[in-house]
Amino acid sequence: MTCMEPSSSSSAEWKATASQEEQWALEHHVFRIYQLFCKIPPKSQAVMLELQRDNHIDYLMKGLRQLGPSFSVLDANRPWICYWILHSIALLGDCVDEDLESNAIDFLSRCQDQHGGYGGGPGQMPHLATTYAAVNSLITLGGHKALSSINRGKIYSFLRRMKHTSGGFSMHDGGEVDVRACYTAISVASALSILDRELIQGVGDYILSCQTYEGGIAGEPGSEAHGGYTFCGLATMILINEVNRLDLPSLTDWLVFRQGVEGGFQGRTNKLVDGCYSFWQGGAAVLIQRLHAASGGEAEDLFQSHALQQYILLCSQVEGGFRDKPGKSRDHYHTCYCLSGLSAAQFRWPKDADSEPLPGFVLGPYSNLLEPINPLYNIVFDRYDEAREFFTESDDA
């Protein structure tokens, strides 16, 4: 770590920046947890490393049934809450009962706009982000009722309306144009088997304009490289088969240096570690590893998988849910992306979608093993496969 050196004529003492103070405080907190872990007996260590599966499922099921008044600030994000919870439950190998499933499908259907796309709630304007969340939720629920409730023709029309002259997409009518919009649009179109040349046209050029001098990808041209946008940009370029246009060595260099001494990932240079980047950065690393493997390259880990799993299990996990970091509260967003990152780390080198990783790939007891995801969409593999087959058969009918 560096500090500003005073000039030789100055008697002022060196002073740490606010971000350095925050980083040191977090490291102190995290290392205290790790030191405690190292000092306890092996049986106690095994307990600390255990995924509290039942507690997490209980927390998630309660959230799906009813949320408190403090969640009113997320009124425009209700399909996201559905996705965070339903995807987390699926990752844990469980599913909702018939009543909850039916209620979720009915609610999301009421969020579907008559002209295509899904809004943040019934009667709200359609938005690409909530369309992605709603579609992923329905694919995760699976079955004929959920999948047939998606009006693919109207969603395609909505995506075409969101297409921007820059090559990217607007998040909503008159909304911002950014890499997140590109990803949510292309991911939805690909998952629903409606992706075509008109939607792809110019997307690669727009994302290339957002890759920064650091190597990562920003939300828009001229902004700072960011973990969430880097995942979105990389996944989009893979989905449209233009990934080799990116400067992948530079992107990889930026990515690998985002894993901190705590074991988790930070989202940007000189920022604190955050559990959600276990997926946004860890998932991006897994995508690059698989690109290397597919091209016949050497199988080499781009991140310390056990260190990441240790951070998730010891620092982000609480008794029912996950948090950003020690000292923060649990929430459904971080629960979703901590579990998604944990799955990506466990299945970082699968031979195929159905193969389970070797025990050495899973930190803690093997019962910690989660369901594998398709990292391009962040959907559990078997649910994605079911949807793919369903929509293919619908096209053939």
Side-chain angles (χ1 to χ4, degrees), residues 284-307:
V286 168
L287 289 176
I288 294 174
Q289 288 179 183
R290 294 183 183 183
L291 287 173
H292 288 170
S295 63
E298 183 180 352
E300 182 180 6
D301 284 329
L302 296 180
F303 66 103
Q304 295 290 330
S305 171
H306 276 195

Side-chain angles (χ1 to χ4, degrees), residues 147-168:
L147 298 176
S148 63
S149 74
I150 303 171
N151 191 321
R152 293 192 298 154
K154 288 187 175 180
I155 286 182
Y156 178 79
S157 297
F158 169 63
L159 297 179
R160 287 292 301 271
R161 292 200 309 274
M162 295 305 102
K163 189 69 178 171
H164 191 264
T165 55
S166 64

Side-chain angles (χ1 to χ4, degrees), residues 93-171:
D94 208 339
C95 59
V96 298
D97 61 34
E98 289 185 8
D99 287 342
L100 273 177
E101 178 182 326
S102 181
N103 288 341
I105 296 170
D106 290 344
F107 168 73
L108 291 168
S109 295
R110 287 187 284 118
C111 295
Q112 191 166 201
D113 188 80
Q114 62 177 333
H115 300 298
Y118 291 79
Q124 297 183 27
M125 73 163 62
H127 191 286
L128 278 176
T130 46
T131 298
Y132 167 87
V135 168
N136 277 18
S137 295
L138 291 163
I139 290 176
T140 298
L141 286 169
H144 184 271
K145 181 179 180 181
L147 298 176
S148 63
S149 74
I150 303 171
N151 191 321
R152 293 192 298 154
K154 288 187 175 180
I155 286 182
Y156 178 79
S157 297
F158 169 63
L159 297 179
R160 287 292 301 271
R161 292 200 309 274
M162 295 305 102
K163 189 69 178 171
H164 191 264
T165 55
S166 64
F169 288 84
S170 301
M171 290 300 296

Side-chain angles (χ1 to χ4, degrees), residues 189-224:
S190 177
L192 298 181
S193 297
I194 56 175
L195 185 62
D196 63 11
R197 291 182 180 178
E198 283 72 19
L199 293 176
I200 292 173
Q201 182 68 37
V203 171
D205 291 336
Y206 180 80
I207 292 175
L208 279 180
S209 73
C210 297
Q211 187 169 18
T212 76
Y213 71 94
E214 289 187 277
I217 298 173
E220 58 187 7
S223 293
E224 182 182 9

Side-chain angles (χ1 to χ4, degrees), residues 167-332:
F169 288 84
S170 301
M171 290 300 296
H172 57 84
D173 283 324
E176 66 273 28
V177 178
D178 58 29
V179 171
R180 175 187 48 152
C182 294
Y183 171 67
T184 49
I186 296 299
S187 175
V188 164
S190 177
L192 298 181
S193 297
I194 56 175
L195 185 62
D196 63 11
R197 291 182 180 178
E198 283 72 19
L199 293 176
I200 292 173
Q201 182 68 37
V203 171
D205 291 336
Y206 180 80
I207 292 175
L208 279 180
S209 73
C210 297
Q211 187 169 18
T212 76
Y213 71 94
E214 289 187 277
I217 298 173
E220 58 187 7
S223 293
E224 182 182 9
H226 183 283
Y229 292 118
T230 296
F231 171 85
C232 288
L234 175 64
T236 301
M237 294 296 270
I238 295 172
L239 288 170
I240 66 174
N241 200 30
E242 295 184 23
V243 68
N244 288 329
R245 296 182 65 194
L246 288 170
D247 184 347
L248 287 175
S250 177
L251 191 155
T252 302
D253 285 346
W254 176 83
L255 178 61
V256 298
F257 282 105
R258 301 284 70 77
Q259 187 171 23
V261 293
E262 307 90 343
F265 281 99
Q266 60 182 186
R268 291 177 286 161
T269 305
N270 293 326
K271 295 295 182 179
L272 299 179
V273 66
D274 184 332
C276 72
Y277 293 109
S278 302
F279 175 73
W280 298 122
Q281 304 282 34
V286 168
L287 289 176
I288 294 174
Q289 288 179 183
R290 294 183 183 183
L291 287 173
H292 288 170
S295 63
E298 183 180 352
E300 182 180 6
D301 284 329
L302 296 180
F303 66 103
Q304 295 290 330
S305 171
H306 276 195
L308 177 59
Q309 293 181 59
Q310 178 176 274
Y311 179 81
I312 294 170
L313 293 168
L314 297 184
C315 299
S316 288
Q317 179 174 230
V318 297
E319 289 192 11
F322 291 78
R323 59 189 178 182
D324 163 356
K325 59 177 66 68
K328 298 288 187 178
S329 300
R330 67 182 180 178
D331 59 64
H332 300 107

